[in-house]
Amino acid sequence: MAPHRRSRPPSPMGIRTPAIATAALTSVALLSQTANASPSEEPRPSLEEVEKKVGDLYRQAETASEKYNAAKEKTTKQKKRVDTLLDDVARRTEKLNDAREELGTFAAAQYRTGAAAPDTASLLLADNPQDYFDQTHLMDRLTSRQKQSVDDYVTQQTATTEKRQEASESLETLTRTQSSLKTSKADVQRKLATARDLLSKLTTEEKARLAAIERQKQEEAQRKADELARQQAADAERRRQEAAQGTGTSTGSGIASGTSGSAASTAKADKALAFARAQVGKPYVWGASGPGSYDCSGLTQAAWKAAGVTLPRTTWDQVKAGTTVSVNSAQPGDLVFFYDDISHVGIYIGDGMMIHAPKPGAYVREESIYYMPIHSVVRPA
């Protein structure tokens, strides 16, 4: 009988218990997930951060809009200049061709009378035809009329060359300005698209909270406007009493006094305000100056144009087009500018209020001048 053989115990590495196998599979799965995981998403911004970001984007877009307005105005002026120069060059070139033909006739006439045969090609291509005539001894044989024609040709040739150079430089300037125009336009569109994207991601609850924050800002701005109106009314009453007593000097100006400035200036301001009021409810569109839509400086420019006063197109130029006065001395029709970069403007209507084209998505409306930080107040007329 064969000796009994004891079976060899299984190798510890040969068989795995269910617990060990599960743990191993879990580890592999975790490692696989870690390897394939995408970068973690950025944390969602808070409502306050969204509000600030959107506000900043609107301001930046308005600044870019003013750059667009400036470039557009320059483009219009430069295009007119280029067109004028090119027309001038065309006229001069035509005259130059006529004069060149006449010079060729003179040279041929000299040849027929026995002078040395002229090199007509050299004559017509010469930088200075008079030098050519001198060098070929033809000048002595020309009549006084023919000599005058040579002088006129030289003058026309020089002037035409200068005008061509001027036109070329103006075209280069126009091209650069048009490039700036496109850049500003793209900048506005990019910032507005970013703002719309941020707002579109808000929940219904967040939009309601954002609207509540906006109402609070409006109420605080209105409170300050009412305070200014009371103060200016009190100042106007004090001036009236001083004037009645003969002790005051009629040097101040106020919203409610109605005594400041000449009758002509007041009449112009009334016309500007009447125009601005008629635009209330029309949409804000960047770069627009009416009649169906406006941006901020487009509205103020159009309003004062209706009063017979020409204002520049941009806020940066409008702020220089008049007399700077204090906020407490603001009168209806004055222009109120906002922010350190002077990127927004409205037209004052009294009682701390203005009419302005606010921002994309909004409409021309009345609003407290304290809704935004005031830069300065300017009286156009």
Side-chain angles (χ1 to χ4, degrees), residues 269-309:
D270 289 344
K271 289 181 180 179
L273 280 176
F275 180 93
R277 286 193 175 97
Q279 313 314 308
V280 170
K282 293 184 178 180
Y284 173 102
V285 174
W286 66 270
S289 56
S293 58
Y294 298 89
D295 64 12
C296 66
S297 56
L299 176 64
T300 52
Q301 183 189 48
W304 273 99
K305 182 179 180 180
V309 177

Side-chain angles (χ1 to χ4, degrees), residues 31 50 60 75 83 90 98 121 148 203 205 218 230 235 240 268 324 336 350 352 364 378:
L31 288 172
V50 170
Q60 293 167 18
T75 297
D83 290 343
D98 292 341
Q148 182 62 47
T203 65
E205 180 183 354
Q218 294 278 3
R230 288 192 295 270
D235 290 344
R240 279 195 292 269
K268 289 179 180 179
T324 301
V336 187
V364 176
V378 171

